[in-house]
Amino acid sequence: MLRIITELAEARSELRRICDRTHDEQVTHKEATVRQILQTVKRQGDRALLAYTEEFDKQILTAEQLRVTGSELDAAYQQVSKELLSAIQLASRQIEEFHRLRVPKSWVQFGDRDVVLGKRYTPVDRAGLYVPGGRAAYPSTVLMNAIPAKVAGVERIVMVTPPGPGGALNPAVLVAAQEAGVTEIYRVGGAQAIAALAYGTETIPKVDVITGPGNVYVMLAKGQVYGTVGIDSLAGPSEVLVIADRTADPTHLAADLLAQAEHDPMAAAILITTDGDLAGKVVNEVKDQLADHPRRIDTEKAIAHFGLVIVVETLELAAELSNEFAPEHLELEVAEPWDLLERIKHAGAIFLGHSTPEAVGDYLAGPNHTLPTSGAARYASPLSTETFMKHSSIISYSAGALSSVSSAVQALAEAEGLPSHGYSVKVRTDRPSPER
Ligand SMILES: NC(=O)c1ccc[n+]([C@@H]2O[C@H](COP(=O)([O-])OP(=O)(O)OC[C@H]3O[C@@H](n4cnc5c(N)ncnc54)[C@H](O)[C@@H]3O)[C@@H](O)[C@H]2O)c1
Ligand SMILES: N[C@H](CO)Cc1c[nH]c[nH+]1
Ligand SMILES: [Zn+2]
């Protein structure tokens, strides 16, 4: 069950263990399995995809069945309720509005002597989106990955997701894909799907950047193909860290911890509180809410292995421990959340106040729910339009500007023993191009 820790050194060591849970031996020994899967798909293409789909997803498909057809997409709209369709559409609008707020814009700056410098942003040609499908179906993840790609201007948005019984895909996932502007969908999951997107197969196109969360196989595969393609951050098993003071409601806190624990037996759910009584109440609430939970076994595993309650003296210390953990999601369930925010340095998404459960961010607040996990929030950011864009530096010199730096370039070139570099400048200043 959920453990309470009051001793600081033990709390720190437990936080480190949980943060590193996707780097421990049990996970890293899967690196070799994943490498094998990637190499086999690279060599054998569709044939390997079908074999792995049979082995891991227990579905027998033909190559022709990999791609989802137009009629299947049309049929999906008949299979979702009106209420779910309008929820998907509301979420789509809000996610799109948020991501349109800050699309990187190209810029140039005109300096002295006709030097023009700048950055030109362009989208990647093809994006590959991984939508998890093992333990749950994630229409929200479709929206969170596809909409920023569309807003960034990506022309080909290729989605992969594992097939369910009979090869079927969840209709809400298919509807979300259409609402979000996905251009093609393939029924394949796990490391083999990442390989298909990275290297291409007879059926699945090679893409430029792969985004989206997944289980450890997906996460390790993304890490291994990085360099062949771009990736977003390594978004693995979900995690939440809640900082609470005595003003928080234990029933709310328990629900929020379970809302992440229910994703995966490797999900992490941590409470750091200044109130010892509250800690005890949350532990009991978690037990009660788990009693008739439909995903009780996996959720209990997550709580038992990667759940924790820490009691600390001050909110300042709570913030310090949270910064060390760098959680994917951080809830500030305290009387003055905006004051505490000042102390937070590393977190994927921060939820402030008693009426902001993390689930609103998962579904429809607007900011992206594909976030860095396992401590990656120390250096990485949420998925955004920038994930699907890159920029080129822009440099333009007039003849006058070039001659003003000619001797400096030559000195640097000489120091590096690269005479042609120096000459390429000297020859222009000695013999400028004729004015056209
Ligand atoms: N960070 C985020 O934004 C975010 C959002 C949604 C979900 N998630 C996380 O995504 C994860 C989804 O995991 P999932 O398992 O439900 O779905 P998944 O689609 O990531 O993984 C299922 C695939 O794993 C492969 N697989 C399963 N067992 C295997 C084995 N023994 N060897 C090789 N491959 C194997 C199969 O090919 C299967 O298709 C969860 O951890 C959840 O917390 C994160
Ligand atoms: N909490 C997940 C990100 O870690 C996202 C999600 C999707 N659906 C529900 N939740
Ligand atoms: Zn969630």
Side-chain angles (χ1 to χ4, degrees), residues 374-393:
S374 305
R378 283 179 293 113
Y379 56 84
S381 309
L383 187 140
S384 72
T385 49
E386 283 175 64
T387 312
F388 300 100
M389 301 181 87
K390 64 269 176 341
H391 69 263
S392 311
S393 298

mmCIF file of all heavy atoms in Angstrom, residues 374-393:
data_model
loop_
_atom_site.group_PDB
_atom_site.id
_atom_site.type_symbol
_atom_site.label_atom_id
_atom_site.label_comp_id
_atom_site.label_asym_id
_atom_site.label_seq_id
_atom_site.Cartn_x
_atom_site.Cartn_y
_atom_site.Cartn_z
ATOM 1 N N SER A 374 10.280 10.762 -15.990
ATOM 2 C CA SER A 374 11.520 10.178 -15.427
ATOM 3 C C SER A 374 12.632 11.207 -15.251
ATOM 4 O O SER A 374 13.798 10.943 -15.564
ATOM 5 C CB SER A 374 12.032 9.035 -16.317
ATOM 6 O OG SER A 374 11.039 8.083 -16.495
ATOM 7 N N GLY A 375 12.289 12.398 -14.801
ATOM 8 C CA GLY A 375 13.311 13.412 -14.512
ATOM 9 C C GLY A 375 13.708 14.253 -15.715
ATOM 10 O O GLY A 375 14.493 15.198 -15.588
ATOM 11 N N ALA A 376 13.168 13.929 -16.892
ATOM 12 C CA ALA A 376 13.571 14.677 -18.103
ATOM 13 C C ALA A 376 13.086 16.136 -18.075
ATOM 14 O O ALA A 376 13.588 16.960 -18.850
ATOM 15 C CB ALA A 376 13.066 13.970 -19.351
ATOM 16 N N ALA A 377 12.152 16.446 -17.164
ATOM 17 C CA ALA A 377 11.695 17.858 -17.075
ATOM 18 C C ALA A 377 12.812 18.781 -16.586
ATOM 19 O O ALA A 377 12.682 20.001 -16.637
ATOM 20 C CB ALA A 377 10.473 17.958 -16.165
ATOM 21 N N ARG A 378 13.942 18.216 -16.150
ATOM 22 C CA ARG A 378 15.090 19.072 -15.792
ATOM 23 C C ARG A 378 15.637 19.774 -17.025
ATOM 24 O O ARG A 378 16.205 20.845 -16.939
ATOM 25 C CB ARG A 378 16.206 18.227 -15.167
ATOM 26 C CG ARG A 378 15.958 17.836 -13.727
ATOM 27 C CD ARG A 378 17.085 16.975 -13.185
ATOM 28 N NE ARG A 378 17.105 15.680 -13.855
ATOM 29 C CZ ARG A 378 18.072 15.261 -14.668
ATOM 30 N NH1 ARG A 378 19.126 15.993 -14.880
ATOM 31 N NH2 ARG A 378 17.991 14.074 -15.242
ATOM 32 N N TYR A 379 15.468 19.134 -18.215
ATOM 33 C CA TYR A 379 16.055 19.734 -19.419
ATOM 34 C C TYR A 379 15.101 19.771 -20.612
ATOM 35 O O TYR A 379 15.424 20.351 -21.641
ATOM 36 C CB TYR A 379 17.331 18.977 -19.838
ATOM 37 C CG TYR A 379 17.101 17.494 -20.050
ATOM 38 C CD1 TYR A 379 16.617 17.002 -21.246
ATOM 39 C CD2 TYR A 379 17.340 16.582 -19.023
ATOM 40 C CE1 TYR A 379 16.379 15.658 -21.431
ATOM 41 C CE2 TYR A 379 17.108 15.231 -19.200
ATOM 42 C CZ TYR A 379 16.632 14.778 -20.404
ATOM 43 O OH TYR A 379 16.390 13.440 -20.582
ATOM 44 N N ALA A 380 13.932 19.150 -20.489
ATOM 45 C CA ALA A 380 13.037 19.071 -21.651
ATOM 46 C C ALA A 380 11.700 19.750 -21.355
ATOM 47 O O ALA A 380 11.377 20.043 -20.207
ATOM 48 C CB ALA A 380 12.821 17.617 -22.033
ATOM 49 N N SER A 381 10.933 19.983 -22.404
ATOM 50 C CA SER A 381 9.681 20.746 -22.302
ATOM 51 C C SER A 381 8.529 19.925 -22.865
ATOM 52 O O SER A 381 8.753 18.926 -23.544
ATOM 53 C CB SER A 381 9.810 22.035 -23.118
ATOM 54 O OG SER A 381 10.977 22.717 -22.759
ATOM 55 N N PRO A 382 7.300 20.398 -22.638
ATOM 56 C CA PRO A 382 6.156 19.696 -23.237
ATOM 57 C C PRO A 382 6.226 19.710 -24.760
ATOM 58 O O PRO A 382 6.858 20.586 -25.348
ATOM 59 C CB PRO A 382 4.954 20.539 -22.766
ATOM 60 C CG PRO A 382 5.440 21.263 -21.561
ATOM 61 C CD PRO A 382 6.895 21.501 -21.766
ATOM 62 N N LEU A 383 5.551 18.736 -25.358
ATOM 63 C CA LEU A 383 5.441 18.723 -26.822
ATOM 64 C C LEU A 383 4.779 20.026 -27.268
ATOM 65 O O LEU A 383 3.868 20.524 -26.598
ATOM 66 C CB LEU A 383 4.607 17.516 -27.233
ATOM 67 C CG LEU A 383 4.512 17.222 -28.723
ATOM 68 C CD1 LEU A 383 4.591 15.717 -28.939
ATOM 69 C CD2 LEU A 383 3.216 17.728 -29.301
ATOM 70 N N SER A 384 5.209 20.577 -28.398
ATOM 71 C CA SER A 384 4.629 21.852 -28.859
ATOM 72 C C SER A 384 4.795 21.943 -30.368
ATOM 73 O O SER A 384 5.362 21.036 -30.993
ATOM 74 C CB SER A 384 5.362 23.020 -28.191
ATOM 75 O OG SER A 384 6.657 23.132 -28.751
ATOM 76 N N THR A 385 4.342 23.038 -30.938
ATOM 77 C CA THR A 385 4.521 23.222 -32.392
ATOM 78 C C THR A 385 6.010 23.191 -32.745
ATOM 79 O O THR A 385 6.383 22.715 -33.812
ATOM 80 C CB THR A 385 3.922 24.564 -32.843
ATOM 81 O OG1 THR A 385 4.395 25.588 -31.973
ATOM 82 C CG2 THR A 385 2.413 24.542 -32.826
ATOM 83 N N GLU A 386 6.855 23.665 -31.827
ATOM 84 C CA GLU A 386 8.304 23.679 -32.108
ATOM 85 C C GLU A 386 8.874 22.288 -32.312
ATOM 86 O O GLU A 386 9.879 22.121 -32.994
ATOM 87 C CB GLU A 386 9.062 24.345 -30.954
ATOM 88 C CG GLU A 386 8.938 25.841 -30.984
ATOM 89 C CD GLU A 386 9.584 26.470 -29.770
ATOM 90 O OE1 GLU A 386 10.792 26.332 -29.625
ATOM 91 O OE2 GLU A 386 8.854 27.078 -28.982
ATOM 92 N N THR A 387 8.222 21.277 -31.688
ATOM 93 C CA THR A 387 8.682 19.902 -31.853
ATOM 94 C C THR A 387 8.667 19.507 -33.337
ATOM 95 O O THR A 387 9.438 18.656 -33.767
ATOM 96 C CB THR A 387 7.754 18.947 -31.063
ATOM 97 O OG1 THR A 387 7.583 19.476 -29.743
ATOM 98 C CG2 THR A 387 8.299 17.542 -30.984
ATOM 99 N N PHE A 388 7.747 20.117 -34.083
ATOM 100 C CA PHE A 388 7.583 19.740 -35.495
ATOM 101 C C PHE A 388 8.231 20.751 -36.435
ATOM 102 O O PHE A 388 7.985 20.738 -37.632
ATOM 103 C CB PHE A 388 6.086 19.616 -35.826
ATOM 104 C CG PHE A 388 5.407 18.568 -34.987
ATOM 105 C CD1 PHE A 388 4.661 18.925 -33.862
ATOM 106 C CD2 PHE A 388 5.541 17.221 -35.293
ATOM 107 C CE1 PHE A 388 4.052 17.962 -33.069
ATOM 108 C CE2 PHE A 388 4.936 16.260 -34.516
ATOM 109 C CZ PHE A 388 4.192 16.619 -33.400
ATOM 110 N N MET A 389 8.993 21.672 -35.853
ATOM 111 C CA MET A 389 9.637 22.699 -36.682
ATOM 112 C C MET A 389 11.129 22.723 -36.386
ATOM 113 O O MET A 389 11.584 22.240 -35.368
ATOM 114 C CB MET A 389 9.038 24.076 -36.370
ATOM 115 C CG MET A 389 7.557 24.111 -36.619
ATOM 116 S SD MET A 389 6.832 25.713 -36.287
ATOM 117 C CE MET A 389 7.083 26.516 -37.848
ATOM 118 N N LYS A 390 11.850 23.277 -37.295
ATOM 119 C CA LYS A 390 13.272 23.540 -37.057
ATOM 120 C C LYS A 390 13.542 24.880 -37.681
ATOM 121 O O LYS A 390 12.720 25.369 -38.472
ATOM 122 C CB LYS A 390 14.177 22.440 -37.629
ATOM 123 C CG LYS A 390 14.113 22.319 -39.148
ATOM 124 C CD LYS A 390 13.067 21.343 -39.578
ATOM 125 C CE LYS A 390 12.802 21.164 -41.029
ATOM 126 N NZ LYS A 390 13.144 22.037 -42.061
ATOM 127 N N HIS A 391 14.666 25.496 -37.373
ATOM 128 C CA HIS A 391 14.947 26.758 -38.047
ATOM 129 C C HIS A 391 16.291 26.739 -38.721
ATOM 130 O O HIS A 391 17.192 26.004 -38.331
ATOM 131 C CB HIS A 391 14.810 27.949 -37.085
ATOM 132 C CG HIS A 391 15.862 28.024 -36.033
ATOM 133 N ND1 HIS A 391 15.681 27.545 -34.757
ATOM 134 C CD2 HIS A 391 17.112 28.516 -36.074
ATOM 135 C CE1 HIS A 391 16.775 27.736 -34.061
ATOM 136 N NE2 HIS A 391 17.675 28.328 -34.828
ATOM 137 N N SER A 392 16.367 27.514 -39.797
ATOM 138 C CA SER A 392 17.639 27.714 -40.493
ATOM 139 C C SER A 392 18.120 29.098 -40.115
ATOM 140 O O SER A 392 17.328 30.045 -40.042
ATOM 141 C CB SER A 392 17.432 27.679 -42.013
ATOM 142 O OG SER A 392 16.685 26.549 -42.383
ATOM 143 N N SER A 393 19.428 29.222 -39.920
ATOM 144 C CA SER A 393 19.990 30.556 -39.681
ATOM 145 C C SER A 393 20.047 31.290 -41.014
ATOM 146 O O SER A 393 20.316 30.693 -42.058
ATOM 147 C CB SER A 393 21.413 30.436 -39.127
ATOM 148 O OG SER A 393 21.378 29.757 -37.895
#
